[in-house]
Structure formats: C-alpha cells, structure tokens
Amino acid sequence: MSRPCGFPFISDSIIYSCTLIMVMAEVAQLQLTGWVALADDQAVNFCGSQFTAWEPNHLKVLDDGKQLQLVLDEVSGSGLGSMQDFMYGHFEIQMKVAPGDTAGTVTSFYLSSAPSSTTQEERDEIDFEFLGNVSGQPYLLQTNIFTNGSGYKEQRIVPWFDPTEKFHTYSISWTEQQVLFSVDGIAIRTFYNNKASGQLYVDRYPMQAFLSIWNGDDWATLGGLVKINWTAAPFVASYQNYQVDACVFKGNISACEQSAYSGAAPHASLMSDLGSNLNFVEEHFMVYNYCHDTQRFESPPPECTLAD
C-alpha cells in the first residue's frame, strides 16, 4: 500500500468462548446516556494535518478522507494518533472490525497521555479494545482504565450485535467526575473519580486520541492460548466519523479544568436511569469484571467497593 496523505511518521510507536445473548427488544428500550450525537459535518477528515501515523504503509484513507482502514499482517500493525492533546471532553468513532478468524488481534480506540505527556510506565489511559476470536466465536469488547501506568481494570462484554457487519458508534465522555463508555448511545461502563478516598483518577495529564490494530496474541484470546492465524491475514479494521468535542490542551491544565468540558458537559450528562442501563448491560452481556476476579485479587480493588 502506498503511503497516504503524507502523514508524519511515528518512529517510536506506542500503538500497542462465550454465548451471545440476543435480547434486542430490551436493548432497543434502553435510554440514551444523555450526550447528543455530533453532526456528521463535524467529523474530522483523516487525510489532514491533525494526525500522525504509525506504519503508514499499512493504512488507507478512503472517500476523500472520510474513512480509514488500518491493516494488521505478519509484518506489522498500524495506527493513527491525534496531533493535539486534550483534557476532558467527548470523543467518538464509528468502527467496523475485521471478520473471520481474528484470534489474537486487538482493534482499539483509546486516549493516552503517552508519549506526548508521560512515559508508558506512568501513563493515564482510557481504552476501548476489541479482542478477536476464532471463526464462529464472538469478539469481546474490553474497556480498561490506566492510572499512573497501572491498568488491571478490565471489563469485557459480548456485543449485542456483530461488529464485523456494519459500523457502530463507540464513545468516551471524560470529565472531572467520571469516564463514561457508550456503544450506540447505550452506556456500558462508568469509572468514577474517587480521589477523595485516595484512589487515582485520569486527571493528571492531557491525552491524545488513538486508533490502532495490533498483534496481542500473547494475551488477547483465552489469555494468549490462541495465537494469530496468519493465513487469515491481512486483518482490516475500518473507521469513520471520528468526532471530538473537547478542551484542547495548550500547556495549562487549569484552563481545561475551568472549562465546561471538565464538568457535566452536554455530551457527558447522566440521566437518572443510567444505573439501570448499566445493570442491564452487566446482567446480559458482561462476561468479565475485574472487580469480581477472586483468583486475581485476594480482595476487591478499593474502587470496586466505594459508593459511586
């Protein structure tokens, strides 16, 4: 593939079986989480100066910059990162992941303070990650939070749809009070600021937005037992309608802390029935929650026992 759009090259990349429960009637009745979808004309053009590319020979920009394809093969994965840093706001993307035998692959949309503000070892990060699976088995959608380089806050759901068939919208709303993860306007997870109880929160560093597909077969599928079948490559993830409504960091965190984005911004306002929506997703679609992993943790992590 030819190098598209003249993206700057990131030389030191950081772009790093269950049963699907179909309860679509109930899903259709879930209330939206309170943010208002941005207009299509606010979508960021992928073929521009707002991004840097990781392995630009493994990506394609289509439809005059409206759509992006990232490719993983035996040579390399690929990714795109925003040139700007942000501190609080609403971030969303429409994704369609690779079909077929995708075990070991990781397709992601995330925010991270590394490498622009921190090292990997001390980074803050907010993750959406699709974990591939063997043919016939569903993808798992994992969310995770890193604070000061420490993750281990994974939750995994089986989506109520096939993420390979068409585009779906994945949203991160990040304020001083909470991080809200949504899929097609349905809340799937919140992570609250419990600093008053001594817990770290993602409020120390600005973050960039990233899209990537990469080889995670040392952990992604059945704990790394299933490796990537390279005869099924290339694996192609498609993205479109990337939108950001956020405070652009310009060297002063306090400016963003005082902005509307740090509080209950329109896209992050929570409706009174948010808890019931989250409980519904947990009951019907969640297959892993780190808070309940007694083999991994002798006692629940502190944030799991704190009142929201």
Side-chain angles (χ1 to χ4, degrees), residues 93-155:
I93 192 73
Q94 292 182 333
M95 284 194 292
K96 182 170 63 174
V97 295
D101 185 354
T102 57
T105 66
V106 180
T107 305
S108 63
F109 166 46
Y110 65 102
L111 310 179
S112 181
S113 63
S116 64
S117 299
T118 65
T119 64
Q120 283 289 97
E121 291 72 21
E122 59 181 4
R123 75 189 185 280
D124 286 352
E125 190 169 293
I126 303 170
D127 295 337
F128 266 118
E129 295 175 312
F130 269 107
L131 311 183
N133 219 328
V134 295
S135 296
Q137 297 297 326
Y139 270 90
L140 298 182
L141 178 56
Q142 173 172 286
T143 57
N144 198 4
I145 301 280
F146 284 76
T147 55
N148 197 34
S150 176
Y152 309 114
K153 301 176 181 65
E154 304 96 336
Q155 291 184 3

Short mmCIF file of all heavy atoms in Angstrom, two decimals, residues 93-155:
data_model
loop_
_atom_site.label_atom_id
_atom_site.label_comp_id
_atom_site.label_asym_id
_atom_site.label_seq_id
_atom_site.Cartn_x
_atom_site.Cartn_y
_atom_site.Cartn_z
N ILE A 93 -16.15 7.52 17.69
CA ILE A 93 -15.71 6.97 16.41
C ILE A 93 -16.68 5.88 16.01
O ILE A 93 -17.28 5.23 16.86
CB ILE A 93 -14.28 6.39 16.52
CG1 ILE A 93 -13.68 6.07 15.14
CG2 ILE A 93 -14.25 5.15 17.39
CD1 ILE A 93 -13.27 7.27 14.34
N GLN A 94 -16.86 5.71 14.72
CA GLN A 94 -17.59 4.55 14.22
C GLN A 94 -16.57 3.54 13.71
O GLN A 94 -15.67 3.88 12.94
CB GLN A 94 -18.55 4.95 13.11
CG GLN A 94 -19.70 5.81 13.61
CD GLN A 94 -20.70 6.17 12.53
OE1 GLN A 94 -20.37 6.23 11.35
NE2 GLN A 94 -21.93 6.43 12.93
N MET A 95 -16.70 2.29 14.18
CA MET A 95 -15.75 1.23 13.85
C MET A 95 -16.47 0.03 13.25
O MET A 95 -17.61 -0.28 13.62
CB MET A 95 -14.99 0.75 15.09
CG MET A 95 -13.92 1.66 15.59
SD MET A 95 -12.83 0.79 16.80
CE MET A 95 -13.94 0.55 18.18
N LYS A 96 -15.77 -0.67 12.39
CA LYS A 96 -16.18 -1.99 11.90
C LYS A 96 -14.93 -2.86 11.91
O LYS A 96 -13.94 -2.52 11.25
CB LYS A 96 -16.78 -1.90 10.50
CG LYS A 96 -17.28 -3.23 9.95
CD LYS A 96 -18.08 -3.05 8.66
CE LYS A 96 -17.25 -2.49 7.54
NZ LYS A 96 -17.99 -2.45 6.26
N VAL A 97 -14.96 -3.96 12.66
CA VAL A 97 -13.75 -4.75 12.85
C VAL A 97 -13.65 -5.87 11.81
O VAL A 97 -14.63 -6.18 11.11
CB VAL A 97 -13.70 -5.34 14.28
CG1 VAL A 97 -13.58 -4.23 15.30
CG2 VAL A 97 -14.93 -6.19 14.57
N ALA A 98 -12.48 -6.46 11.71
CA ALA A 98 -12.21 -7.48 10.70
C ALA A 98 -13.04 -8.73 10.96
O ALA A 98 -13.21 -9.15 12.10
CB ALA A 98 -10.72 -7.83 10.68
N PRO A 99 -13.55 -9.38 9.91
CA PRO A 99 -14.32 -10.61 10.08
C PRO A 99 -13.42 -11.84 10.09
O PRO A 99 -12.21 -11.76 9.88
CB PRO A 99 -15.22 -10.61 8.84
CG PRO A 99 -14.36 -9.94 7.79
CD PRO A 99 -13.55 -8.89 8.53
N GLY A 100 -14.03 -13.00 10.36
CA GLY A 100 -13.33 -14.28 10.22
C GLY A 100 -12.52 -14.65 11.44
O GLY A 100 -12.83 -14.28 12.57
N ASP A 101 -11.45 -15.40 11.20
CA ASP A 101 -10.59 -15.90 12.25
C ASP A 101 -9.65 -14.78 12.69
O ASP A 101 -8.61 -14.55 12.07
CB ASP A 101 -9.81 -17.11 11.75
CG ASP A 101 -8.98 -17.77 12.84
OD1 ASP A 101 -8.91 -17.22 13.96
OD2 ASP A 101 -8.39 -18.84 12.59
N THR A 102 -10.01 -14.08 13.74
CA THR A 102 -9.26 -12.91 14.18
C THR A 102 -8.62 -13.11 15.55
O THR A 102 -8.21 -12.13 16.20
CB THR A 102 -10.17 -11.67 14.24
OG1 THR A 102 -11.28 -11.96 15.12
CG2 THR A 102 -10.68 -11.31 12.86
N ALA A 103 -8.54 -14.35 16.02
CA ALA A 103 -7.95 -14.62 17.34
C ALA A 103 -6.59 -13.96 17.46
O ALA A 103 -5.77 -14.00 16.54
CB ALA A 103 -7.84 -16.13 17.55
N GLY A 104 -6.35 -13.33 18.60
CA GLY A 104 -5.06 -12.70 18.87
C GLY A 104 -4.95 -11.26 18.42
O GLY A 104 -3.99 -10.58 18.78
N THR A 105 -5.91 -10.77 17.65
CA THR A 105 -5.86 -9.39 17.19
C THR A 105 -6.53 -8.47 18.20
O THR A 105 -7.44 -8.86 18.92
CB THR A 105 -6.55 -9.22 15.82
OG1 THR A 105 -7.96 -9.46 15.97
CG2 THR A 105 -5.97 -10.19 14.80
N VAL A 106 -6.07 -7.21 18.23
CA VAL A 106 -6.66 -6.18 19.08
C VAL A 106 -6.93 -4.95 18.22
O VAL A 106 -6.01 -4.43 17.58
CB VAL A 106 -5.74 -5.80 20.26
CG1 VAL A 106 -6.40 -4.72 21.11
CG2 VAL A 106 -5.39 -7.01 21.10
N THR A 107 -8.18 -4.53 18.18
CA THR A 107 -8.59 -3.34 17.43
C THR A 107 -9.08 -2.31 18.43
O THR A 107 -9.97 -2.60 19.23
CB THR A 107 -9.70 -3.69 16.43
OG1 THR A 107 -9.29 -4.76 15.58
CG2 THR A 107 -10.04 -2.47 15.58
N SER A 108 -8.52 -1.11 18.42
CA SER A 108 -8.74 -0.21 19.54
C SER A 108 -9.07 1.22 19.14
O SER A 108 -8.76 1.68 18.04
CB SER A 108 -7.51 -0.21 20.46
OG SER A 108 -6.38 0.28 19.75
N PHE A 109 -9.69 1.89 20.09
CA PHE A 109 -9.94 3.33 20.10
C PHE A 109 -9.69 3.76 21.53
O PHE A 109 -10.32 3.26 22.46
CB PHE A 109 -11.39 3.60 19.68
CG PHE A 109 -11.88 5.00 19.96
CD1 PHE A 109 -11.12 6.11 19.66
CD2 PHE A 109 -13.15 5.20 20.52
CE1 PHE A 109 -11.58 7.40 19.92
CE2 PHE A 109 -13.62 6.48 20.77
CZ PHE A 109 -12.85 7.58 20.47
N TYR A 110 -8.72 4.65 21.74
CA TYR A 110 -8.35 4.96 23.12
C TYR A 110 -7.73 6.35 23.24
O TYR A 110 -7.32 6.97 22.25
CB TYR A 110 -7.40 3.90 23.68
CG TYR A 110 -6.03 3.81 23.03
CD1 TYR A 110 -4.91 4.36 23.64
CD2 TYR A 110 -5.85 3.13 21.83
CE1 TYR A 110 -3.65 4.25 23.07
CE2 TYR A 110 -4.60 3.01 21.25
CZ TYR A 110 -3.50 3.57 21.87
OH TYR A 110 -2.26 3.47 21.29
N LEU A 111 -7.68 6.81 24.48
CA LEU A 111 -6.99 8.04 24.84
C LEU A 111 -5.79 7.67 25.70
O LEU A 111 -5.88 6.79 26.55
CB LEU A 111 -7.91 8.97 25.63
CG LEU A 111 -9.30 9.26 25.08
CD1 LEU A 111 -10.07 10.18 26.03
CD2 LEU A 111 -9.23 9.86 23.69
N SER A 112 -4.67 8.35 25.50
CA SER A 112 -3.47 8.06 26.29
C SER A 112 -2.62 9.30 26.45
O SER A 112 -2.52 10.12 25.54
CB SER A 112 -2.66 6.94 25.64
OG SER A 112 -1.50 6.64 26.42
N SER A 113 -1.99 9.40 27.63
CA SER A 113 -1.07 10.51 27.88
C SER A 113 0.33 10.23 27.34
O SER A 113 1.17 11.13 27.33
CB SER A 113 -0.98 10.79 29.38
OG SER A 113 -0.44 9.67 30.07
N ALA A 114 0.60 8.99 26.92
CA ALA A 114 1.90 8.64 26.34
C ALA A 114 1.77 8.60 24.82
O ALA A 114 0.75 8.16 24.29
CB ALA A 114 2.36 7.28 26.86
N PRO A 115 2.77 9.07 24.08
CA PRO A 115 4.07 9.54 24.56
C PRO A 115 4.18 11.04 24.76
O PRO A 115 5.24 11.52 25.16
CB PRO A 115 5.00 9.10 23.44
CG PRO A 115 4.16 9.32 22.21
CD PRO A 115 2.75 8.97 22.60
N SER A 116 3.14 11.80 24.49
CA SER A 116 3.31 13.25 24.46
C SER A 116 3.52 13.86 25.84
O SER A 116 4.26 14.84 25.99
CB SER A 116 2.09 13.92 23.80
OG SER A 116 0.93 13.70 24.56
N SER A 117 2.88 13.29 26.88
CA SER A 117 2.96 13.89 28.21
C SER A 117 3.67 13.03 29.24
O SER A 117 4.18 13.55 30.23
CB SER A 117 1.53 14.20 28.73
OG SER A 117 0.88 15.11 27.90
N THR A 118 3.70 11.71 29.03
CA THR A 118 4.30 10.80 30.00
C THR A 118 4.98 9.66 29.27
O THR A 118 4.82 9.46 28.07
CB THR A 118 3.24 10.18 30.95
OG1 THR A 118 2.35 9.35 30.16
CG2 THR A 118 2.44 11.24 31.67
N THR A 119 5.71 8.85 30.04
CA THR A 119 6.21 7.58 29.52
C THR A 119 5.09 6.55 29.59
O THR A 119 4.05 6.76 30.23
CB THR A 119 7.39 7.08 30.36
OG1 THR A 119 6.94 6.81 31.70
CG2 THR A 119 8.50 8.12 30.40
N GLN A 120 5.31 5.41 28.94
CA GLN A 120 4.34 4.32 29.03
C GLN A 120 4.15 3.87 30.47
O GLN A 120 3.06 3.52 30.90
CB GLN A 120 4.82 3.13 28.19
CG GLN A 120 4.61 3.29 26.69
CD GLN A 120 3.14 3.22 26.32
OE1 GLN A 120 2.48 4.24 26.16
NE2 GLN A 120 2.61 2.02 26.19
N GLU A 121 5.24 3.89 31.24
CA GLU A 121 5.21 3.35 32.60
C GLU A 121 4.39 4.20 33.57
O GLU A 121 3.97 3.71 34.62
CB GLU A 121 6.63 3.18 33.13
CG GLU A 121 7.43 2.08 32.44
CD GLU A 121 7.86 2.43 31.02
OE1 GLU A 121 7.90 3.65 30.69
OE2 GLU A 121 8.13 1.50 30.25
N GLU A 122 4.15 5.46 33.24
CA GLU A 122 3.40 6.32 34.15
C GLU A 122 2.16 6.93 33.47
O GLU A 122 1.58 7.89 33.96
CB GLU A 122 4.29 7.45 34.68
CG GLU A 122 4.89 8.34 33.61
CD GLU A 122 5.79 9.43 34.18
OE1 GLU A 122 6.01 9.43 35.40
OE2 GLU A 122 6.27 10.27 33.39
N ARG A 123 1.73 6.31 32.40
CA ARG A 123 0.66 6.91 31.60
C ARG A 123 -0.72 6.78 32.26
O ARG A 123 -0.98 5.88 33.04
CB ARG A 123 0.61 6.24 30.21
CG ARG A 123 0.01 4.83 30.21
CD ARG A 123 0.22 4.20 28.85
NE ARG A 123 -0.43 2.90 28.70
CZ ARG A 123 0.06 1.76 29.16
NH1 ARG A 123 1.21 1.75 29.83
NH2 ARG A 123 -0.58 0.62 28.97
N ASP A 124 -1.59 7.70 31.89
CA ASP A 124 -3.03 7.57 32.06
C ASP A 124 -3.61 7.15 30.72
O ASP A 124 -3.11 7.57 29.66
CB ASP A 124 -3.66 8.90 32.50
CG ASP A 124 -3.37 9.25 33.95
OD1 ASP A 124 -2.81 8.39 34.67
OD2 ASP A 124 -3.70 10.37 34.37
N GLU A 125 -4.67 6.33 30.76
CA GLU A 125 -5.20 5.81 29.50
C GLU A 125 -6.65 5.37 29.69
O GLU A 125 -7.04 4.89 30.76
CB GLU A 125 -4.36 4.63 29.02
CG GLU A 125 -4.66 4.17 27.61
CD GLU A 125 -3.59 3.19 27.11
OE1 GLU A 125 -2.43 3.62 26.92
OE2 GLU A 125 -3.92 2.00 26.92
N ILE A 126 -7.46 5.55 28.65
CA ILE A 126 -8.87 5.14 28.63
C ILE A 126 -9.07 4.33 27.35
O ILE A 126 -8.90 4.87 26.25
CB ILE A 126 -9.80 6.36 28.65
CG1 ILE A 126 -9.53 7.24 29.87
CG2 ILE A 126 -11.26 5.92 28.61
CD1 ILE A 126 -10.25 8.59 29.83
N ASP A 127 -9.44 3.05 27.47
CA ASP A 127 -9.40 2.12 26.34
C ASP A 127 -10.75 1.52 25.97
O ASP A 127 -11.50 1.06 26.83
CB ASP A 127 -8.50 0.91 26.68
CG ASP A 127 -7.05 1.27 26.88
OD1 ASP A 127 -6.63 2.31 26.38
OD2 ASP A 127 -6.34 0.49 27.54
N PHE A 128 -11.02 1.49 24.67
CA PHE A 128 -11.93 0.55 24.02
C PHE A 128 -11.05 -0.42 23.23
O PHE A 128 -10.25 0.01 22.39
CB PHE A 128 -12.84 1.25 23.01
CG PHE A 128 -14.18 1.69 23.52
CD1 PHE A 128 -14.51 3.04 23.53
CD2 PHE A 128 -15.13 0.77 23.94
CE1 PHE A 128 -15.76 3.46 23.96
CE2 PHE A 128 -16.39 1.18 24.37
CZ PHE A 128 -16.70 2.52 24.38
N GLU A 129 -11.21 -1.74 23.42
CA GLU A 129 -10.42 -2.72 22.68
C GLU A 129 -11.30 -3.89 22.28
O GLU A 129 -11.93 -4.53 23.13
CB GLU A 129 -9.26 -3.24 23.54
CG GLU A 129 -8.24 -2.17 23.89
CD GLU A 129 -7.18 -2.67 24.85
OE1 GLU A 129 -7.54 -3.30 25.87
OE2 GLU A 129 -5.98 -2.43 24.58
N PHE A 130 -11.35 -4.18 20.99
CA PHE A 130 -11.99 -5.38 20.50
C PHE A 130 -10.96 -6.51 20.47
O PHE A 130 -9.92 -6.39 19.81
CB PHE A 130 -12.58 -5.17 19.10
CG PHE A 130 -14.00 -4.71 19.11
CD1 PHE A 130 -14.32 -3.41 18.80
CD2 PHE A 130 -15.03 -5.59 19.45
CE1 PHE A 130 -15.64 -2.98 18.80
CE2 PHE A 130 -16.35 -5.18 19.46
CZ PHE A 130 -16.66 -3.88 19.14
N LEU A 131 -11.26 -7.59 21.18
CA LEU A 131 -10.37 -8.75 21.23
C LEU A 131 -10.91 -9.80 20.27
O LEU A 131 -12.04 -10.28 20.41
CB LEU A 131 -10.31 -9.31 22.66
CG LEU A 131 -10.05 -8.28 23.77
CD1 LEU A 131 -9.94 -8.97 25.12
CD2 LEU A 131 -8.80 -7.45 23.48
N GLY A 132 -10.09 -10.18 19.28
CA GLY A 132 -10.53 -11.11 18.26
C GLY A 132 -10.74 -12.51 18.78
O GLY A 132 -10.35 -12.87 19.90
N ASN A 133 -11.35 -13.34 17.95
CA ASN A 133 -11.64 -14.72 18.33
C ASN A 133 -11.59 -15.61 17.10
O ASN A 133 -11.51 -15.13 15.97
CB ASN A 133 -13.01 -14.82 19.01
CG ASN A 133 -13.01 -15.80 20.17
OD1 ASN A 133 -12.29 -16.80 20.16
ND2 ASN A 133 -13.82 -15.51 21.18
N VAL A 134 -11.64 -16.92 17.32
CA VAL A 134 -11.64 -17.86 16.21
C VAL A 134 -12.97 -17.77 15.49
O VAL A 134 -13.98 -17.30 16.03
CB VAL A 134 -11.38 -19.31 16.69
CG1 VAL A 134 -9.99 -19.43 17.27
CG2 VAL A 134 -12.43 -19.73 17.72
N SER A 135 -13.02 -18.21 14.25
CA SER A 135 -14.24 -18.13 13.45
C SER A 135 -15.39 -18.83 14.18
O SER A 135 -15.23 -19.91 14.74
CB SER A 135 -14.01 -18.80 12.09
OG SER A 135 -13.04 -18.09 11.35
N GLY A 136 -16.54 -18.17 14.15
CA GLY A 136 -17.71 -18.73 14.79
C GLY A 136 -17.91 -18.31 16.22
O GLY A 136 -18.97 -18.54 16.79
N GLN A 137 -16.89 -17.71 16.83
CA GLN A 137 -16.99 -17.22 18.20
C GLN A 137 -16.99 -15.69 18.18
O GLN A 137 -16.36 -15.06 17.33
CB GLN A 137 -15.82 -17.74 19.05
CG GLN A 137 -15.79 -19.24 19.20
CD GLN A 137 -17.01 -19.77 19.94
OE1 GLN A 137 -17.53 -19.12 20.84
NE2 GLN A 137 -17.47 -20.95 19.56
N PRO A 138 -17.69 -15.06 19.12
CA PRO A 138 -17.84 -13.60 19.06
C PRO A 138 -16.60 -12.86 19.54
O PRO A 138 -15.81 -13.36 20.35
CB PRO A 138 -19.01 -13.34 20.01
CG PRO A 138 -18.93 -14.45 21.00
CD PRO A 138 -18.46 -15.66 20.22
N TYR A 139 -16.45 -11.65 19.02
CA TYR A 139 -15.49 -10.72 19.58
C TYR A 139 -15.88 -10.40 21.02
O TYR A 139 -17.06 -10.45 21.41
CB TYR A 139 -15.53 -9.40 18.81
CG TYR A 139 -14.59 -9.28 17.64
CD1 TYR A 139 -15.00 -9.67 16.36
CD2 TYR A 139 -13.33 -8.73 17.78
CE1 TYR A 139 -14.17 -9.52 15.26
CE2 TYR A 139 -12.48 -8.56 16.68
CZ TYR A 139 -12.91 -8.96 15.44
OH TYR A 139 -12.07 -8.81 14.36
N LEU A 140 -14.89 -10.05 21.83
CA LEU A 140 -15.13 -9.46 23.13
C LEU A 140 -14.76 -7.98 23.05
O LEU A 140 -13.73 -7.62 22.47
CB LEU A 140 -14.30 -10.13 24.22
CG LEU A 140 -14.56 -11.62 24.47
CD1 LEU A 140 -13.69 -12.12 25.62
CD2 LEU A 140 -16.03 -11.87 24.77
N LEU A 141 -15.59 -7.13 23.65
CA LEU A 141 -15.30 -5.70 23.72
C LEU A 141 -14.82 -5.40 25.13
O LEU A 141 -15.57 -5.52 26.10
CB LEU A 141 -16.54 -4.88 23.39
CG LEU A 141 -16.38 -3.36 23.50
CD1 LEU A 141 -15.23 -2.86 22.62
CD2 LEU A 141 -17.69 -2.66 23.14
N GLN A 142 -13.56 -5.02 25.24
CA GLN A 142 -12.94 -4.74 26.54
C GLN A 142 -12.79 -3.24 26.74
O GLN A 142 -12.37 -2.52 25.84
CB GLN A 142 -11.57 -5.40 26.62
CG GLN A 142 -10.77 -5.02 27.87
CD GLN A 142 -9.50 -5.84 28.03
OE1 GLN A 142 -9.55 -7.00 28.40
NE2 GLN A 142 -8.36 -5.23 27.76
N THR A 143 -13.13 -2.78 27.94
CA THR A 143 -12.80 -1.42 28.37
C THR A 143 -11.79 -1.53 29.51
O THR A 143 -11.80 -2.48 30.27
CB THR A 143 -14.04 -0.65 28.83
OG1 THR A 143 -14.69 -1.36 29.89
CG2 THR A 143 -15.00 -0.45 27.68
N ASN A 144 -10.92 -0.52 29.59
CA ASN A 144 -9.90 -0.54 30.63
C ASN A 144 -9.49 0.90 30.94
O ASN A 144 -9.64 1.80 30.10
CB ASN A 144 -8.68 -1.35 30.19
CG ASN A 144 -7.79 -1.79 31.34
OD1 ASN A 144 -8.10 -1.54 32.50
ND2 ASN A 144 -6.67 -2.43 31.02
N ILE A 145 -9.00 1.10 32.14
CA ILE A 145 -8.51 2.40 32.60
C ILE A 145 -7.12 2.21 33.18
O ILE A 145 -6.89 1.29 33.98
CB ILE A 145 -9.42 2.99 33.71
CG1 ILE A 145 -10.85 3.17 33.22
CG2 ILE A 145 -8.83 4.29 34.24
CD1 ILE A 145 -11.09 4.39 32.40
N PHE A 146 -6.17 3.06 32.76
CA PHE A 146 -4.84 3.09 33.36
C PHE A 146 -4.68 4.40 34.13
O PHE A 146 -5.02 5.46 33.61
CB PHE A 146 -3.75 3.02 32.30
CG PHE A 146 -3.53 1.67 31.70
CD1 PHE A 146 -4.42 1.15 30.76
CD2 PHE A 146 -2.44 0.90 32.06
CE1 PHE A 146 -4.22 -0.10 30.20
CE2 PHE A 146 -2.22 -0.35 31.50
CZ PHE A 146 -3.12 -0.85 30.57
N THR A 147 -4.16 4.31 35.34
CA THR A 147 -3.79 5.49 36.11
C THR A 147 -2.36 5.29 36.61
O THR A 147 -2.04 4.27 37.20
CB THR A 147 -4.73 5.70 37.32
OG1 THR A 147 -4.76 4.53 38.12
CG2 THR A 147 -6.14 6.03 36.83
N ASN A 148 -1.51 6.26 36.28
CA ASN A 148 -0.09 6.18 36.65
C ASN A 148 0.54 4.87 36.17
O ASN A 148 1.35 4.25 36.86
CB ASN A 148 0.09 6.32 38.16
CG ASN A 148 1.52 6.65 38.54
OD1 ASN A 148 2.23 7.34 37.80
ND2 ASN A 148 1.97 6.14 39.68
N GLY A 149 0.16 4.43 34.97
CA GLY A 149 0.74 3.24 34.36
C GLY A 149 0.14 1.92 34.80
O GLY A 149 0.52 0.87 34.30
N SER A 150 -0.79 1.95 35.73
CA SER A 150 -1.39 0.72 36.24
C SER A 150 -2.78 0.54 35.65
O SER A 150 -3.65 1.40 35.81
CB SER A 150 -1.48 0.77 37.77
OG SER A 150 -2.12 -0.39 38.27
N GLY A 151 -2.98 -0.60 34.98
CA GLY A 151 -4.28 -0.91 34.40
C GLY A 151 -5.04 -1.88 35.28
O GLY A 151 -5.45 -1.57 36.39
N TYR A 152 -5.22 -3.09 34.79
CA TYR A 152 -5.88 -4.16 35.56
C TYR A 152 -7.29 -3.77 36.01
O TYR A 152 -7.76 -4.19 37.06
CB TYR A 152 -5.03 -4.55 36.78
CG TYR A 152 -3.60 -4.85 36.44
CD1 TYR A 152 -2.57 -4.04 36.92
CD2 TYR A 152 -3.27 -5.93 35.61
CE1 TYR A 152 -1.25 -4.30 36.60
CE2 TYR A 152 -1.95 -6.19 35.28
CZ TYR A 152 -0.95 -5.37 35.77
OH TYR A 152 0.36 -5.62 35.44
N LYS A 153 -7.96 -2.96 35.19
CA LYS A 153 -9.34 -2.57 35.49
C LYS A 153 -10.25 -2.98 34.34
O LYS A 153 -11.18 -2.26 33.95
CB LYS A 153 -9.42 -1.06 35.75
CG LYS A 153 -8.55 -0.57 36.91
CD LYS A 153 -8.60 0.94 37.04
CE LYS A 153 -7.71 1.45 38.17
NZ LYS A 153 -6.27 1.20 37.91
N GLU A 154 -10.04 -4.16 33.82
CA GLU A 154 -10.73 -4.60 32.63
C GLU A 154 -12.18 -5.02 32.91
O GLU A 154 -12.47 -5.66 33.91
CB GLU A 154 -10.02 -5.79 31.98
CG GLU A 154 -8.57 -5.56 31.64
CD GLU A 154 -7.63 -6.05 32.72
OE1 GLU A 154 -8.06 -6.14 33.89
OE2 GLU A 154 -6.46 -6.36 32.39
N GLN A 155 -13.05 -4.64 32.00
CA GLN A 155 -14.39 -5.22 31.89
C GLN A 155 -14.57 -5.67 30.45
O GLN A 155 -14.09 -5.00 29.53
CB GLN A 155 -15.47 -4.22 32.29
CG GLN A 155 -15.51 -3.88 33.76
CD GLN A 155 -16.66 -2.97 34.14
OE1 GLN A 155 -17.50 -2.63 33.30
NE2 GLN A 155 -16.71 -2.57 35.40
#
